[in-house]
Amino acid sequence: EVLVADWGLAKSLENDNYVDIADNSLETESIAPKALLTLGVAGTLSYMSPEQAEETSLATKASDIYSLGATLYHVLTGQPAYGGDCVSEILAKVRAGNFEHPRKVRPDVPAALAAVCVKAMEPSPTDRYANASLLADEIDRWLADEPVSAWPDPIFDRLRRWTKRNRAMAT
C-alpha cells in the first residue's frame, strides 16, 4: 500500500491554475523546484508526464495516471524511470517518453505487472488508463492472480490458472 503524503503542487480542474503548495509551507533549501518553475515546468522530473514536461498547463488527469505509473516503475525497479546528469537531459528524456522497460532494468519483474506500468506511462495520454480506478483494478487483478487487460496471457499462464481453479478436474 502506498500513501502519497505531498505532491508539492496542485492544479484546480476548474480554472487550470497550479498552486505551488510549497510556497505556503516551510521554506526549502532546494533551488531545483524554483528553477523548474522558471522553465515553465512544475513537478518532480522523473514522475511527470511528457505533456507536463512540455508545459505545466498541458497537465490533465491523464498526467496523474502517468505519475502513478512512474511511481509503480520505481517500486518495481528500485529506481526512477528517468535519470541524468542535469535537468535539461532528464527533461528531454521525459518529453520523449524515453524510459527503459522495467523488465530490462529488473528481469524478475512479472511481465503482466510491467505491462500495466508501461500502459500507465504511455507517451500519449489517450493510450493510458482512463482513470486511477482502472489502474488500481488492474493491479488488484494482478495481485489476485487474474489476467490483466494490458498483457495477453501466454497459454501456459491460462492453463496454470485454470488448473488452480479446477484442481479436481485437472487431477
Side-chain angles (χ1 to χ4, degrees):
E1 186 172 325
V2 176
L3 172 66
V4 178
D6 180 15
W7 285 94
L9 51 90
K11 180 180 178 183
S12 168
L13 294 175
E14 283 96 37
N15 62 16
D16 255 7
N17 290 327
Y18 270 90
V19 176
D20 187 354
I21 295 171
D23 286 346
N24 298 325
S25 60
L26 297 174
E27 286 293 318
T28 61
E29 294 181 19
S30 173
I31 298 175
K34 292 179 182 169
L36 290 177
L37 288 172
T38 305
L39 294 170
V41 174
T44 305
L45 289 177
S46 294
Y47 302 92
M48 68 174 52
S49 65
E51 64 273 13
Q52 187 179 359
E54 284 295 331
E55 185 179 330
T56 300
S57 65
L58 297 177
T60 63
K61 290 179 185 178
S63 300
D64 293 339
I65 302 303
Y66 190 96
S67 296
L68 289 170
T71 302
L72 178 58
Y73 185 99
H74 197 146
V75 169
L76 295 175
T77 65
Q79 65 186 40
Y82 302 101
D85 295 330
C86 63
V87 170
S88 60
E89 179 186 351
I90 298 170
L91 263 178
K93 288 179 182 178
V94 173
R95 287 175 177 150
N98 184 17
F99 63 91
E100 199 166 3
H101 194 280
R103 288 176 55 91
K104 284 190 177 180
V105 177
R106 294 231 4 227
D108 61 332
V109 171
L113 195 53
V116 170
C117 176
V118 168
K119 179 172 177 153
M121 293 180 69
E122 284 289 339
S124 171
T126 57
D127 293 337
R128 298 177 199 147
Y129 292 98
N131 57 55
S133 293
L134 293 175
L135 174 58
D137 290 345
E138 285 279 74
I139 293 170
D140 285 342
R141 278 192 291 279
W142 180 81
L143 288 170
D145 194 27
E146 296 173 1
V148 297
S149 66
W151 175 255
D153 274 340
I155 189 74
F156 178 76
D157 287 349
R158 284 185 272 165
L159 182 60
R160 180 186 54 78
R161 281 194 188 98
W162 183 88
T163 304
K164 191 175 173 181
R165 283 190 314 268
N166 302 285
R167 288 187 191 265
M169 194 182 313
T171 302

